[in-house]
Amino acid sequence: MPFVYTEWQHFTTKDGLPNDHIFAVKADGPRVWIGTEGGLACYDKRTGKFRTWTEKDGLPWRVVSALDVDPKTGDLWLGMFGGGLARFSGGRFDHFHQLNSGLVNDVVYGVAVENDNVWAATTAGASRYNTVKRKWTIYTEKNAPMEEIWNYGVSYNDGKVYLGVWGSGVLEFDVATERWKDYLDPDGEMEIDLYRDDGIVHVITTGTSYIDRVLWVSTYFGMCRYDGRHWRGYYAKETGLPSDFGNAVKGRSADEAWYATDRGLAAVMDFKTDTWVTYTMDPKTHKGKAVVQRGSTVLKTIALEKTIPHNYVLWTEVDGSDIWVGTSKGLAWAKGSGYYPRLKAVVDNRAKPDASLTTGDASK
Amino acid sequence: MNRPMKTQLLTLACVLTLGISAYGGPGKRSVPATDQKGAAETAQNLRKINAAGTYGIPNIPPRHDQNYARTSKDLQPFGYVQPFKRHFLEQMIYSGPGRGIAEPGKLAAVKIGFIGPIMSTVSVATGGASHEETLGIKMLQGAQLAIEQANDKGGYVKRQLPFQLVVSNDNGLWGASGNEIIKMAYRDKVWAILGTVDGANTHIAIRVALKAEIPMMNSGDTDPTLTETNIPWIFRCIGDDRQQGYLLLDYLYGKRNFKRIGIIRASNRYGRFGVREIRDGSRRRGHPIILEMAYQLGTKDYSLQLERLRDANVEAIVHWGDATDGAAILNQMRKLGMKHPYFACDRCVSDDFIQIAGEDAEGIICTYPWNPMRQDPKLDAFREAFQKQYGEQPDTYAAHAFDGVNMVIWAIQTVGLNRAKIRDILAYRKEPWQGVTGAIPLTAALDDGGDVFLAFREKGEWHYYSRRDLGLSR
């Protein structure tokens, strides 16, 4: 069995969040930064308290759509949806936008810190800002293999920057060589995926996460995994994905990745055995369940008092053994005491199995 | 029955009646059975949409299409292989919490956004030249007329508030359309947005609409990929280049028996994506396009492209681009002695084209998303009102914008001021919208699946022929 998260805590405006619509979450040691549709928040895990910033506190624009922390300086970088880019440092916001910097567009979907550089995925290309030399580089179809320039997500790890580009698949930027490589759907058609594992499942890409030399990808048409040689496509009809509409992805290892979808949260917990755990919330009772699947076969359904606060999941973040989940109606903290990777032959006594312990095809 | 409930029901009855008159067509004294069915279905959908609340999804079966965009077997990509996954067959569902947001209290007007190219621009995305203002201005006129007519009938009936159009120019520079949608969604607080024309700018706009959760109605962008994005917030009320391309393909190969077609197109997104189905479809039907030549926007000399096409020994030429370019190309073709049959996209059915092409226009055939010569009292009334208001006849951009805004107004009147519910009532509607441009049945991808036409220039006039008129089966 894979590890199943059974201890969940929810946060909404009643607990101090500036807004319940959560676009981004970034764990940073004892702090957790939260980007919402109505401001920025920071949760201190030691005190259990929130601090918030809205426009009246100097936040340049209310909609915070992306977050990353510079590990060298501790600065927080914010991508704002229609408000450009900001650096939060020493209690001050520095604002970078189309008219005062090399930011290519103010509609920022993703932000990632790469060494001394900050990348912003915008609706009209990507910008890379060298924070030491204060130099901007803009990437569009003119100097990168972007079939379209509509950047959606950006992530950095291990010498590689990955851009998820709407209409242009995934672009890989090798930091050492400054060379680009593109990953497109080999069939080239919007209305079909000819073969599941022949490449990225679709060119309308929303998120990327690179870890342990494995690239995890989310799209609005299914998800996928690439190990540098083989692609594996994931669709709801044969996995634990509650939907093919993927808003974001976060990889924890080469074996485990978390997918934020519009119908719930799904994690590939063990790639090799295709084992999934899917978390959803009952719209009527607001109670939850975790479904353990191997492919489309349900192994176990675990009824939980609480899982995610809403099934429309926009973001997910790995924080040590814990998982943070941003939804369009609140934030969730899944506490992973006793977490173990991949699978274990265990008898899990922490959660009471559902009376209707299910085996068979998953009902989506 | 308590008073608020009674008031609500009376309002709903009034709205549904307005809806019926909106899609039933004037001149019909009694409410047809299909309209009664539509009204009953709308009322039932409304109950289910309201019942979904913050956490649920309306218990309404999503639309399911048997094949995408009614594509015939011989035009399907990789037609002889069963793909692992087919997209766009099941209607997209919005599963977020938006339905739980209460209608706001104090309001001076009910705002509807408009984004379109209404001023000249130095757009990069459109190829560097300003060329779409004439289309955007017509679109704005159609939208404004719909707003004014709705206000003449009492505005937003439930609260007696006027509708107001919040107008933005789509200048296409550096993704500016995205910034405009943000402004309309968060600052102006519009309830839905109509726009825009350029394919690239519309793509940027709809991505913003998805995150901001606001319905967008498109009446002027015929790029097929617009609704091939799985965004549950985008609707299109005009037949796209895929549908127009399919009809042209059937005519070229099924009726005229051509074997060697050449293409000349604009080098922008409109030209590139407009001919995609023609290029792919020709190959799939066993007659690959012999030569495809692109020209830069703003060029005046097409001799290079035309001479190459002539030398390639093509039987007919298809043009995809703006009207002025299309006409200049036609003139230069004829000057070069090229007597090839000339086919073009819907943008060439315009006064500009005729003015420049002159007598050369005779005999050309264009695709067209509707039949403006159709006998329909509703269309006649629209023409008359438009002529009275603007002193000229409406074109395709004005007519489709008029329909698009009316669809949005109908949705607002039916569900109230809630963006998710406005989306829902349009998305779950099964009955085609009966607009001035004809029937608009939405597909599972929320695209216009209605009839498209071929416009023939015959004896100095445009004549419009449907698939049926031309004896073409799918």
Side-chain angles (χ1 to χ4, degrees):
Chain A
M1 286 296 290
F3 180 81
V4 176
Y5 284 85
T6 56
E7 192 184 345
W8 293 79
Q9 188 173 353
H10 291 179
F11 304 96
T12 65
T13 49
K14 288 178 189 157
D15 304 294
L17 277 171
N19 190 290
D20 285 341
H21 201 105
I22 314 295
F23 279 122
V25 184
K26 177 66 188 173
D28 179 29
R31 290 182 297 271
V32 179
W33 296 97
I34 303 118
T36 82
E37 198 170 29
L40 171 72
C42 183
Y43 180 72
D44 190 324
K45 288 189 279 187
R46 295 163 300 193
T47 63
K49 297 241 166 78
F50 279 101
R51 272 199 73 188
T52 62
W53 293 264
T54 60
E55 285 171 283
K56 68 178 186 323
D57 305 305
L59 181 70
W61 170 236
R62 56 179 280 203
V63 187
V64 180
S65 43
L67 295 166
D68 202 6
V69 173
D70 186 333
K72 200 163 90 178
T73 62
D75 292 348
L76 176 72
W77 286 88
L78 300 85
M80 289 168 293
F81 196 54
L85 188 69
R87 172 172 50 202
F88 188 46
S89 179
R92 189 185 76 186
F93 289 98
D94 296 319
H95 190 196
F96 305 90
H97 53 82
Q98 277 176 255
L99 301 180
N100 75 351
S101 72
L103 187 69
V104 65
N105 188 274
D106 285 343
V107 182
V108 180
Y109 286 93
V111 64
V113 176
E114 165 260 308
N115 303 310
D116 289 334
N117 303 295
V118 178
W119 288 75
T122 88
T123 204
S127 287
R128 185 192 193 199
Y129 176 53
N130 187 302
T131 56
V132 176
K133 295 177 183 169
R134 297 186 179 182
K135 183 187 160 198
W136 289 86
T137 310
I138 290 174
Y139 296 103
T140 63
E141 82 284 4
K142 296 194 185 333
N143 57 353
M146 288 181 196
E147 292 204 341
E148 308 291 1
I149 58 171
W150 313 314
N151 286 243
Y152 218 63
V154 59
S155 63
Y156 170 72
N157 195 21
D158 219 5
K160 292 188 193 293
V161 173
Y162 286 96
L163 294 171
V165 187
W166 176 288
S168 197
V170 170
L171 297 184
E172 177 186 288
F173 180 81
D174 187 290
V175 173
T177 63
E178 300 213 336
R179 284 193 182 149
W180 289 95
K181 179 170 171 46
D182 57 347
Y183 298 97
L184 296 164
D185 182 5
D187 63 49
E189 299 292 341
M190 299 292 276
E191 67 264 45
I192 59 162
D193 187 20
L194 191 61
Y195 300 113
R196 188 191 66 189
D197 299 334
D198 62 348
I200 196 166
V201 292
H202 205 276
V203 290
I204 296 193
T205 314
T206 56
T208 60
S209 184
Y210 182 64
I211 189 158
D212 295 348
R213 293 175 173 269
V214 162
L215 175 67
W216 299 92
V217 180
S218 60
T219 84
Y220 285 151
F221 296 80
M223 321 300 159
C224 39
R225 176 190 187 273
Y226 179 57
D227 65 7
R229 187 174 173 84
H230 302 290
W231 285 90
R232 170 70 159 91
Y234 295 118
Y235 287 110
K237 66 179 181 180
E238 55 170 8
T239 68
L241 284 169
S243 156
D244 290 330
F245 192 90
N247 283 313
V249 60
K250 186 73 182 182
R252 183 181 246 161
S253 68
D255 288 300
E256 183 181 329
W258 290 74
Y259 285 107
T261 85
D262 67 336
R263 306 282 184 95
L265 176 70
V268 191
M269 295 302 285
D270 182 49
F271 164 71
K272 289 176 186 67
T273 59
D274 198 20
T275 304
W276 294 73
V277 181
T278 308
Y279 301 89
T280 53
M281 186 259 254
D282 186 310
K284 289 202 173 80
T285 64
H286 292 199
K287 290 186 178 181
K289 68 176 178 182
V291 178
V292 182
Q293 281 179 233
R294 184 145 302 143
S296 59
T297 305
V298 173
L299 303 179
K300 192 173 184 178
T301 300
I302 301 162
L304 298 167
E305 277 303 306
K306 221 181 237 189
T307 51
I308 48 179
H310 197 284
N311 285 329
Y312 199 96
V313 183
L314 288 160
W315 194 258
T316 175
E317 167 77 345
V318 175
D319 180 14
S321 297
D322 298 348
I323 298 291
W324 291 87
V325 186
T327 80
S328 54
K329 198 67 185 169
L331 173 73
W333 181 9
K335 296 174 186 176
S337 40
Y339 166 80
Y340 55 87
R342 301 196 60 196
L343 308 177
K344 210 172 180 181
V346 290
V347 178
D348 190 347
N349 293 321
R350 291 168 305 153
K352 191 180 166 190
D354 193 344
S356 58
L357 183 70
T358 336
T359 309
D361 283 343
S363 166
K364 296 288 169 353
Chain B
M1 190 183 292
N2 62 34
R3 196 171 172 79
M5 188 180 283
K6 197 172 179 181
T7 311
Q8 272 186 346
L9 286 175
L10 280 170
T11 306
L12 179 62
C14 176
V15 162
L16 292 175
T17 308
L18 284 173
I20 288 165
S21 68
Y23 61 77
K28 295 172 184 173
R29 290 180 186 279
S30 60
V31 179
T34 52
D35 290 342
Q36 287 173 356
K37 188 182 154 206
E41 179 200 67
T42 298
Q44 192 180 33
N45 284 352
L46 181 58
R47 277 194 296 276
K48 291 177 177 176
I49 290 164
N50 285 332
T54 303
Y55 295 92
I57 295 170
N59 184 24
I60 305 170
R63 187 182 281 107
H64 186 89
D65 291 345
Q66 287 303 309
N67 66 338
Y68 174 57
R70 294 194 288 162
T71 306
S72 59
K73 179 74 182 164
D74 59 346
L75 292 181
Q76 286 176 5
F78 305 99
Y80 297 96
V81 180
Q82 180 66 28
F84 186 82
K85 182 83 164 67
R86 291 187 189 277
H87 303 298
F88 315 125
L89 298 182
E90 185 95 354
Q91 182 185 330
M92 283 301 297
I93 303 293
Y94 167 64
S95 54
R99 297 177 195 90
I101 300 169
E103 183 162 328
K106 200 176 170 190
L107 285 176
V110 174
K111 295 178 180 175
I112 295 173
F114 171 94
I115 181 163
I118 52 174
M119 290 184 251
S120 58
T121 173
V122 286
S123 169
V124 171
T126 53
S130 180
H131 65 118
E132 287 174 341
E133 309 83 271
T134 49
L135 317 180
I137 288 165
K138 292 290 174 198
M139 196 169 107
L140 178 59
Q141 289 173 334
Q144 279 170 329
L145 185 62
I147 295 283
E148 283 168 27
Q149 289 188 354
N151 284 338
D152 289 344
K153 290 177 194 163
Y156 176 44
V157 175
K158 186 177 158 190
R159 291 168 62 177
Q160 301 292 301
L161 289 170
F163 287 103
Q164 181 192 337
L165 203 62
V166 176
V167 180
S168 280
N169 179 45
D170 174 19
N171 79 14
L173 188 63
W174 295 113
S177 59
N179 298 335
E180 294 298 330
I181 302 298
I182 297 270
K183 178 180 159 290
M184 286 196 272
Y186 289 105
R187 292 199 194 281
D188 299 326
K189 295 185 169 34
V190 303
W191 296 101
I193 298 168
L194 182 86
T196 175
V197 175
D198 179 81
N201 300 351
T202 311
H203 265 284
I204 288 171
I206 63 173
R207 295 170 64 222
V208 175
L210 167 66
K211 288 272 181 191
E213 301 193 352
I214 186 162
M216 276 204 79
M217 176 65 71
N218 185 278
S219 64
D221 175 12
T222 51
D223 174 355
T225 66
L226 174 66
T227 50
E228 295 174 346
T229 47
N230 262 358
I231 295 181
W233 295 90
I234 172 72
F235 301 85
R236 176 158 54 192
C237 63
I238 184 169
D240 70 357
D241 289 342
R242 177 186 286 275
Q243 294 302 329
Q244 294 180 51
Y246 285 170
L247 178 57
L248 183 59
L249 282 168
D250 285 342
Y251 181 75
L252 291 172
Y253 301 116
K255 194 87 177 172
R256 301 282 292 267
N257 296 314
F258 289 126
K259 302 272 188 300
R260 299 175 64 83
I261 300 291
I263 290 176
I264 182 166
R265 65 162 177 87
S267 64
N268 61 5
R269 188 183 174 85
Y270 177 68
R272 186 159 47 101
F273 278 85
V275 300
R276 203 164 78 160
E277 297 310 323
I278 295 170
R279 186 178 55 230
D280 291 350
S282 296
R283 189 183 67 248
R284 286 166 194 153
R285 293 187 69 149
H287 307 297
I289 292 297
I290 301 300
L291 186 63
E292 180 178 331
M293 297 296 293
Y295 59 84
Q296 288 293 322
L297 248 67
T299 194
K300 300 285 177 221
D301 178 9
Y302 308 92
S303 55
L304 170 77
Q305 289 86 350
L306 291 174
E307 284 165 10
R308 296 266 173 94
L309 284 164
R310 183 188 57 195
D311 295 347
N313 198 26
V314 297
E315 294 170 305
I317 290 174
V318 174
H319 167 257
W320 222 270
D322 286 343
T324 49
D325 291 325
I329 289 166
L330 177 61
N331 290 151
Q332 289 185 27
M333 260 177 69
R334 299 300 185 233
K335 241 181 214 168
L336 285 168
M338 295 172 69
K339 293 178 181 168
H340 302 69
Y342 190 69
F343 299 86
C345 58
D346 58 311
R347 285 191 182 181
C348 292
V349 182
S350 77
D351 293 343
D352 283 347
F353 184 92
I354 297 303
Q355 200 176 359
I356 298 167
E359 287 180 3
D360 288 341
E362 189 65 21
I364 79 146
I365 298 172
C366 297
T367 62
Y368 213 59
W370 64 303
N371 178 3
M373 303 310 288
R374 185 178 90 258
Q375 293 302 306
D376 181 347
K378 188 171 191 171
L379 175 58
D380 295 342
F382 167 66
R383 282 188 190 290
E384 193 181 328
F386 195 93
Q387 179 75 38
K388 192 176 165 192
Q389 183 88 340
Y390 302 109
E392 57 185 293
Q393 280 294 297
D395 74 349
T396 184
Y397 289 88
H400 284 91
F402 182 81
D403 277 347
V405 171
N406 271 316
M407 289 170 80
V408 168
I409 287 172
W410 169 81
I412 291 172
Q413 301 280 28
T414 306
V415 301
L417 299 178
N418 178 294
R419 290 170 178 172
K421 292 181 185 178
I422 293 167
R423 186 220 84 89
D424 280 350
I425 203 74
L426 285 167
Y428 288 117
R429 183 185 168 113
K430 296 282 193 302
E431 293 292 311
W433 178 268
Q434 300 294 337
V436 297
T437 58
I440 303 170
L442 292 178
T443 66
L446 306 180
D447 202 2
D448 180 357
D451 288 339
V452 294
F453 296 81
L454 288 183
F456 287 59
R457 189 71 183 174
E458 297 168 326
K459 294 180 184 167
E461 286 183 343
W462 291 109
H463 294 271
Y464 299 85
Y465 298 94
S466 69
R467 185 175 281 279
R468 194 182 306 131
D469 298 334
L470 296 164
L472 296 168
S473 59
R474 273 188 183 268

